[in-house]
Amino acid sequence: MRSLSYNLIFRWFASCLLALVCLAHTPSGFAAEEAVAEQTPGESGFWVANEHNIQDISVELGIAGRFKLGSWTEVRLSLPSDAFESQANVTVIALDSDGVPVEVKAPVPETVNGRMNYRVPVKIGRRSSNLQIHFVTGEPGNSQTTIREIPIVDLAEPIQATQRWFLQIGADLGMADALQRYSSRLGDTTVLLPLSEPSQLPEAWYLMEGVDLVVWTANDSAQVEKFQPKQLEALQEWLKLGGRMVMSVGARAPELIADSKPLARFAPGKFDRMAEVRDTTELEALVGREARIDRAVGGALTVAVLKETIGVSRVVEGSRQASYPLWIRSAVGFGTVDFFSFDFTADPIASWEGREPLLKILLEDISDRQEETKNAAPTGRSVAHFGYTDIAGQLRMALDQFPGVRNVSFFMIGAILVVYLVLIGPGDYFFLRRFKLRMEWTWVTFPVIILLASIGIWRLATWSKGTALKLNHVEVLDVDMASSTVRSTSWFHLFSPETKRYDIRIQPTHIPATAWNQLESWQGLAGSGLGGMSARQSISTVPTPYAIDFAPGDLTDASLKQVPIQIWSSKTLMGRGWGEMDEFEAEPLNERESELIDGVLHNPTNMTLTDCYVFHGRWAYFVATLPANGTARLVPGQSVQNTGKVLKRRRVQELSEGDSLWDRQSTDVARIMEVAMFYSAAGGPGFTNLSNRFQSYVDLSSHIHGDRAVLVGKVEQPASQVQIDGAPAAEGDSQTWSYVRIVYPVQRRSDSETAQR
């Protein structure tokens, strides 16, 4: 009998310990480490099942054998067209950043030369994981299943989310050597990858999400002809939605960028003619080289002359009557193009000693000069302390703080354990002695103490974690007036009071665009800190996958199905949307003296914008309100402030220029977004001591230093609504931060006018 009572004691004690562990569980996604299955030597992957007896299968991943963790990429499958007797359902399963399997159903294949070719969009969150490919034919109960499992590293080499990825098309223009000799951290954190085959370029723009820069040496018309129209359209869309390109042309320009030619869409103007330039003093002065370019080989510099150019001419040679822009930086939607009208790989530039310094200047613009400072380099200690080195990681940490969700300290847990042990031991004994009860009454008092303690612990747990589903949602809606391009970027965290699976979809409500496209997916943590995509963590407890569900026949519309969230845990998700709005006729803003601008600001949305700032060059203008579908006038000198001081919230009399105000432990979402949206203009890593390599497309700093002005304002409600199981989250249990940015073209003064002044 006594041994039975001891067993009962131990069982109740174990249950209470379990409840206490739940108390300490903080709202974070469940972690995972991928189990790498054994494979036969010499083979890429292995058959888990092969009921279709497939012997010939080809699997490729990423672009030229590389992909970036946490970004969309592509799996390409190829099988004989007679591999299945009936139509097969094909799905690809990869692990997300928490190690939970995610499946994507393959679209209808394309049959070419007797083979079925599948192109499947995926996101991979664990670098050491396996990729599973499922083929199922027949009806339920009478089906055949084939499963191929392949280690990711056998298919492609992962690129860390904290690294930059430069994709090179055409001959190397010297970028590889410049990166190797570059004195800052850029060379150590950048992967330059030549595109070996044009067929490897995706046909959907978001499958290039992990690419930071495309470097294209356009001097081979035969190579350009190998690209399919869909691929060039995808590259153009990627550029408009925040990509960046460096293009160098030369003698082949008439075949490539003239009207109706394949690459004309990327040129910042219309091709006019080819010309020879002998006076290159401006280009030589830029790099600090006295040696003339044409003396290297005794010939002139051949350049492509454009007319009706847009953007900012960084280097212009010639006179007012005959000027030749050699380097033009132009905005294309939310992306930028650095266009060089000469060929870096041909003489005289190829033999010029100033070629590498010129590329270094270009790389400094891309990398942000402040990144060269030693104190801007994230240290291993910082990773261990904060868990992140990228500003996207700080936003993730801030969004994981939910109102009404309290973290119980380990001190409190220890105190509860001590009190519990005292109550069930000496407390029970002295209670019976105090009231002069027989010891046999412990059969009553002991279970009562356990029951009351369990109820108390459970009530404490529900008080600290809550019983309602909670949502934190940040959205940035961007509108480009020049190209009529609209995009949205959403980050949202769900906190679940129970272990449950959810269907999640983002529904646009106030987006001024037609034919809207929307993708939802998981959001990873960049880096190797705790929870990072490059870290090694414990095995996932969720074997059943959830789905990124694409609409039938449409790879630009996806929602999330059956997303698992454990009790008192959160899941980090994101969405990207894009579309085109009807052309909006509005006069561009005008640049006056000292880069001051004036003009009429138009709001093409049906949302009222408040607390607005307009950024252009080194100036920022405050606009209290921009009415829905209304206008506001911008007057030069009125409410004007310095851009850097506005973004840094700096007061000259308080801090010197070298001091930093940034708190890397801050969970102020509004403040984090202020800096993330204009990261480089705020000072970049020199100010935040954080990088911005994972989702750098959010930063529009490059637009405010050219022929564009960017207005940012707050709105009360997001332009999109997060729907959970078909219904929006309750207002009392959700927090939202919503911003609208409008990019306006600016009519800049000509170079001749600037020279006259």
Side-chain angles (χ1 to χ4, degrees), residues 683-734:
F687 174 60
T688 63
N689 202 25
L690 293 168
S691 65
N692 184 33
R693 302 188 191 118
F694 185 29
Q695 295 172 340
S696 58
Y697 52 82
V698 178
D699 179 17
L700 287 183
S701 298
S702 60
H703 283 53
I704 69 178
H705 293 295
D707 60 344
R708 295 289 189 269
V710 182
L711 177 143
V712 59
K714 301 175 183 178
V715 293
E716 290 186 2
Q717 297 293 331
S720 301
Q721 184 183 79
V722 178
Q723 294 188 345
I724 305 165
D725 291 338
E731 291 187 6
D733 297 315
S734 63

Side-chain angles (χ1 to χ4, degrees), residues 44-56:
S44 177
F46 52 91
W47 296 108
V48 177
N50 193 3
E51 296 181 359
H52 297 95
N53 196 26
I54 298 176
Q55 301 298 326
D56 181 9

Side-chain angles (χ1 to χ4, degrees), residues 312 314 329 591 595 615-619 643-644 647 680-682 700-710 748:
V312 178
R314 298 289 304 275
R329 175 169 294 166
E591 185 179 274
E595 293 187 341
F615 296 103
H616 176 71
R618 64 181 185 272
W619 303 119
T643 294
L647 293 172
S680 294
L700 287 183
S701 298
S702 60
H703 283 53
I704 69 178
H705 293 295
D707 60 344
R708 295 289 189 269
V710 182
R748 304 179 76 244

Side-chain angles (χ1 to χ4, degrees), residues 418-465:
V418 171
V419 172
Y420 178 72
L421 292 174
V422 169
L423 287 176
I424 64 174
D428 185 26
Y429 174 78
F430 285 112
F431 174 80
L432 295 176
R433 291 290 302 271
R434 171 69 178 82
F435 292 98
K436 299 180 180 180
L437 298 175
R438 299 178 63 179
M439 288 296 114
E440 286 79 358
W441 277 96
T442 190
W443 290 100
V444 176
T445 57
F446 184 76
V448 169
I449 292 173
I450 293 176
L451 179 61
L452 293 177
S454 299
I455 293 173
I457 292 173
W458 181 255
R459 291 297 301 271
L460 177 62
T462 54
W463 168 81
S464 63
K465 304 301 182 183

Side-chain angles (χ1 to χ4, degrees), residues 72 204-207 209 237-238 240-241 334 477-478 484-489 508 511 513-520 550 554-558 575-581 720:
W72 285 101
W205 76 267
Y206 60 89
L207 299 177
E209 185 181 41
E237 192 78 0
W238 168 82
K240 289 171 60 178
L241 292 170
F334 305 108
L477 178 68
D478 294 321
S484 300
T485 303
V486 183
R487 73 174 185 182
S488 74
T489 309
I511 293 180
T514 56
W516 186 249
N517 308 283
Q518 184 70 55
L519 297 180
E520 285 89 59
F550 286 89
D554 187 0
L555 290 180
T556 60
D557 182 16
R576 297 195 67 180
W578 68 97
E580 302 286 333
M581 71 175 183
S720 301

Side-chain angles (χ1 to χ4, degrees), residues 104-149:
V104 179
K105 185 178 180 180
V108 176
E110 179 183 12
T111 302
V112 179
N113 298 327
R115 297 188 69 85
M116 295 183 295
N117 299 320
Y118 296 87
R119 303 176 79 110
V120 188
V122 297
K123 286 180 73 171
I124 297 172
R126 309 302 302 174
R127 62 178 302 146
S128 302
S129 61
N130 288 358
L131 192 74
Q132 275 195 359
I133 306 167
H134 291 227
F135 306 92
V136 181
T137 58
E139 300 295 330
N142 186 26
S143 62
Q144 288 183 309
T145 302
T146 293
I147 302 175
R148 181 75 171 177
E149 188 163 340

